[in-house]
Amino acid sequence: AFTETLLKTGLQAVWTSVGDTDIVMVGQHNKQVVSGFAGIATRFRDVPSGKQAEIIGAADVYVGDFGEVTIVPNRFKRDNTALLLDLEYLGITYLRNFQTIELARTGDAEKRELLVEYALKVHNHNAQGIVADLLTS
């Protein structure tokens, strides 16, 4: 199970290596687990007159010993991992730059194809971390 202890250990490991984690990317189940960590304080907001009050039921930012991180749910990644990402050491690399290719016309309509190939480039692997083999339900 994903616990606050696992998160703290992962953040410490990244910080010790060289990184300053900006984002913790999790799946839907583990986003709800993070929102239920015991250290999450009850938050109150002043509501201006004439405005609707909001109910805050999620944690989007975790502040710990190794800095402030944003908790981001991602529906396209494996739900059984939490990725600890330092954005300073991530970038985009282009395998094939942007091209516009004209396609066949249909009447007055001009059709074009936008073609590009790119990938995520990790500048320093030690600045990234993972908490793996987590429960997903």
Side-chain angles (χ1 to χ4, degrees), residues 36 39 59 62 83 120:
Y62 178 85
L83 302 177
L120 175 68

Side-chain angles (χ1 to χ4, degrees), residues 43-54 56:
R43 178 180 287 183
F44 297 96
R45 284 191 183 169
D46 291 331
V47 179
S49 69
K51 294 268 184 161
Q52 183 73 28
E54 296 176 345
I56 301 170

Side-chain angles (χ1 to χ4, degrees), residues 4 11 53 86 126:
E4 190 171 8
L11 293 172
D86 184 343
N126 292 331

Side-chain angles (χ1 to χ4, degrees), residues 3-121:
T3 63
E4 190 171 8
T5 302
L6 286 173
L7 178 59
K8 285 181 175 184
T9 301
L11 293 172
Q12 180 182 9
V14 170
W15 187 85
T16 302
S17 294
V18 70
D20 288 318
T21 302
D22 299 306
I23 291 176
V24 175
M25 193 172 293
V26 293
Q28 66 171 342
H29 173 74
N30 288 307
K31 173 64 168 92
Q32 293 174 328
V33 170
V34 171
S35 294
F37 283 172
I40 304 299
T42 303
R43 178 180 287 183
F44 297 96
R45 284 191 183 169
D46 291 331
V47 179
S49 69
K51 294 268 184 161
Q52 183 73 28
E54 296 176 345
I55 297 173
I56 301 170
D60 295 327
V61 176
Y62 178 85
V63 180
D65 295 329
F66 301 99
E68 184 176 299
V69 296
T70 304
I71 310 298
V72 177
N74 184 331
R75 68 173 45 100
F76 301 110
K77 64 170 275 317
R78 292 176 55 195
D79 199 26
N80 66 344
T81 60
L83 302 177
L84 287 62
L85 306 174
D86 184 343
L87 300 180
E88 182 180 348
Y89 294 102
L90 297 175
I92 296 175
T93 187
Y94 290 92
L95 307 172
R96 189 178 350 177
N97 265 334
F98 284 92
Q99 303 174 43
T100 304
I101 301 168
E102 288 188 34
L103 301 175
R105 293 179 66 121
T106 303
D108 287 339
E110 293 182 14
K111 297 179 184 177
R112 299 180 189 272
E113 173 183 28
L114 181 63
L115 182 63
V116 64
E117 290 183 33
Y118 58 94
L120 175 68
K121 182 174 183 178

